Amino acid sequence: MANEASPCPCDIGDRFEYGGLGHEVQVEHIKAYVCKPSTSTEKAVIVIQDIFGWQLPNTRYMADMLAANGYIAICPDFFVGKGAWNPSDDWSTFGEWLKTRDARKIDKEADVVLKYLKQQCSAKKIGVVGFCWGGIVVHHLMMKYPELKAGVSVYGIIKDSDDRYNLLKPTFFIFGEKDDVIPLDQVTLLEQKLKQHCKVDYRVKTYPGQTHGFVHRRREDINPQDKPYIEEARKDMISWLNKYI
């Protein structure tokens, strides 16, 4: 579900058996998972969930990975208490479910999280990473919040919006070559239009043979053939953040 115009159900993939190294906090009207690095820092990254919600162990694993690389990582509940999608749910109801979880109507939550990071965590340099539904949120935020130093949209794209190429700060788009949710022609169009219209640094990268969810919903030990690409994408994500934050 990472194409705003034609949302499509996506497979939850390999659910990690992972407890997390951080803890949950209440940030005004929303809950969030927070993990901090071992040493103090003024750098933070907002991690945005996919359709399976902020409590998905895979997403918390990614937040902990960012913390291990020196960032305060926060994964808020951008559904604000509304239930996450369950793989056993009836996919015929997915469109209606999605209407109440608009990836472009999260500014109130973004404001709250930014305030928390600045006031409670002393963060001064903030970036954002999002997966699937969260990738659409990243695309939206990077066109609206100049205070965000860098963004990484992982298989998420705003398709039908005239302003979708007006990025304010450096943004990295990660895609899989065999993603049925975001076909390659959409990726090509994004890259062409960004080249024409975007005035800040950006990068669009497609990873060979990879399907939707490969960065955070696939375990390397179960999919050894994909391990190099999973590791490469995660490394690229960290490098982008390091460069601009």
Side-chain angles (χ1 to χ4, degrees), residues 21-133:
L21 301 175
H23 62 283
E24 294 183 6
V25 298
Q26 187 73 35
V27 183
E28 295 192 22
H29 68 292
I30 56 177
K31 293 181 178 180
Y33 172 81
V34 178
C35 189
K36 296 183 178 181
S38 56
T39 57
S40 61
T41 181
E42 296 179 339
K43 301 186 299 180
V45 175
I46 302 169
V47 180
I48 306 180
Q49 70 215 44
D50 58 18
I51 62 170
F52 301 110
W54 73 293
Q55 293 177 311
L56 185 72
N58 306 48
T59 307
R60 296 192 172 189
Y61 178 84
M62 301 304 292
D64 290 357
M65 179 187 301
L66 288 164
N69 280 273
Y71 295 94
I72 300 163
I74 182 169
C75 180
D77 176 14
F78 274 93
F79 291 165
V80 197
K82 296 175 184 175
W85 184 257
N86 190 304
S88 63
D89 290 343
D90 181 357
W91 284 111
S92 68
T93 66
F94 182 74
E96 288 300 314
W97 176 90
L98 192 61
K99 288 179 181 178
T100 62
R101 295 158 181 81
D102 190 333
R104 300 200 72 181
K105 294 182 179 178
I106 46 69
D107 292 1
K108 180 180 178 181
E109 287 67 51
D111 291 340
V112 164
V113 173
L114 286 167
K115 178 182 175 183
Y116 172 84
L117 288 172
K118 294 171 185 175
Q119 296 185 357
Q120 303 298 320
C121 302
S122 301
K124 295 182 179 178
K125 298 179 179 180
I126 303 172
V128 60
V129 172
F131 305 90
C132 185
W133 181 90

Side-chain angles (χ1 to χ4, degrees), residues 21 42 51 64 68 98 139 146 160 165 178 188 200-201:
L21 301 175
E42 296 179 339
I51 62 170
D64 290 357
L98 192 61
H139 194 167
D160 291 336
Y165 310 114
K178 296 184 178 180
T188 301
V200 299
D201 286 351

